[in-house]
Amino acid sequence: MQLIDMVFPGDTNHHGTLFGGVALAHMDKVAFLAASRHGRAPFVTAASEKVDFAAPAHAGDMVEVTGQVVRVGNSSLDVAVELVAEAPVTGERRLCTRGRFTLVAQKGPDTRLPLPRIGAVAEVDHEVLRLTDMVFPGQTNHYGTLYGGDALKMMGKAAFIAATRHARAVMVMAASDRTDFTSPIREGQIVELVASVRMTGRSSVRVEVALWAENLLTGDRRHAATALFTMVSVGPDGRSKPIAGV
């Protein structure tokens, strides 16, 4: 389970580093998503063990938060979570925070106990960026479905991260091709964004982003939208700049 976000000034303290509370919120969300995907039940956070802050994440860094289920009981499980900061242009990475979260499945008609045992960990395709998030009430319209603008924001962020990691340059969005929304995404569903670099030019990168919706309890997935973005490398003067090695 992986979540990647940017550290913006509003997320930082007077030192220009990520607030500890914001880091904990990212980690708890990833723990919840990892638990939900594993147990397919309504989970709540019961406890967090010692959380160690080893290094700061600075404004402008990307933060990558990963979670893995490491213990499963009858109705509870533990998720080990790490938060790593990454400098977008240099690619320098440093472990900032790690911790362990205990989540409990709420008993009810949709909860199947005991929880499933830990299975094999799937291999990760490092050529494709996969980001996971969740749809909360503030992101939905009066029909209870994700706003198109919020979906585009998620997809644009995924395109930016994929292009930046690919080119290791300062990237800005130059164009967004037609976006087709094929299925609504409802409140409480998991969203997965799959971003793939399709073309690299002298100073531009084309990224395809597919948006998938996933039912929290059943695991049913459906394609919700696809878009193509053109991202351009720029210099300090704001003009396009050739990508190194191209």
Side-chain angles (χ1 to χ4, degrees):
M1 185 63 60
Q2 177 177 254
L3 179 151
I4 300 180
D5 209 341
M6 299 295 300
V7 180
F8 293 109
D11 298 324
T12 62
N13 55 31
H14 58 293
H15 301 298
T17 60
L18 184 67
F19 278 119
V22 175
L24 288 170
H26 285 321
M27 296 172 74
D28 182 61
K29 180 190 286 187
V30 166
F32 170 77
L33 292 170
S36 298
R37 267 195 166 172
H38 178 86
R40 297 300 175 190
F43 280 91
V44 294
T45 303
S48 63
E49 293 188 16
K50 182 181 178 183
V51 178
D52 293 310
F53 292 87
H58 300 280
D61 282 347
M62 292 187 291
V63 288
E64 178 182 290
V65 191
T66 56
Q68 182 176 338
V69 176
V70 293
R71 181 200 67 85
V72 177
N74 184 64
S75 61
S76 67
L77 52 75
D78 289 352
V79 181
V81 183
E82 289 188 346
L83 184 149
V84 174
E86 179 178 323
V89 176
T90 66
E92 180 261 331
R93 289 166 62 87
R94 59 192 176 280
L95 175 64
C96 294
T97 311
R98 59 159 48 116
R100 186 162 167 152
F101 292 76
T102 299
L103 294 97
V104 176
Q106 293 183 303
K107 293 180 173 62
D110 297 322
T111 304
R112 290 170 292 179
L113 299 177
L115 295 172
R117 302 298 95 188
I118 298 175
V121 178
E123 292 187 10
V124 178
D125 182 357
H126 294 285
E127 296 299 317
V128 177
L129 178 71
R130 293 181 179 271
L131 308 180
T132 310
D133 212 327
M134 187 154 182
V135 178
F136 292 105
Q139 298 170 291
T140 59
N141 57 29
H142 56 295
Y143 298 114
T145 60
L146 181 67
Y147 281 115
D150 280 344
L152 288 170
K153 179 181 176 181
M154 291 177 177
M155 298 171 82
K157 183 190 292 185
F160 168 78
I161 293 171
T164 300
R165 279 189 162 179
H166 177 76
R168 290 302 176 193
V170 177
M171 308 296 291
V172 297
M173 188 182 298
S176 171
D177 288 358
R178 171 175 168 168
T179 303
D180 291 309
F181 293 94
T182 58
S183 178
I185 303 174
R186 304 194 178 281
E187 176 185 323
Q189 291 187 332
I190 296 173
V191 291
E192 183 177 57
L193 298 114
V194 183
S196 308
V197 173
R198 294 305 186 195
M199 185 198 74
T200 304
R202 181 173 177 272
S203 61
S204 64
V205 176
R206 291 263 285 175
V207 182
E208 180 185 79
V209 181
L211 180 63
W212 293 80
E214 181 177 323
N215 185 291
L216 191 71
L217 298 180
T218 66
D220 292 337
R221 284 165 55 88
R222 65 183 184 283
H223 177 252
T226 299
L228 275 171
F229 296 88
T230 301
M231 313 295 292
V232 173
S233 169
V234 296
D237 59 0
R239 296 183 179 182
S240 62
K241 176 184 176 182
I243 296 172
V246 176

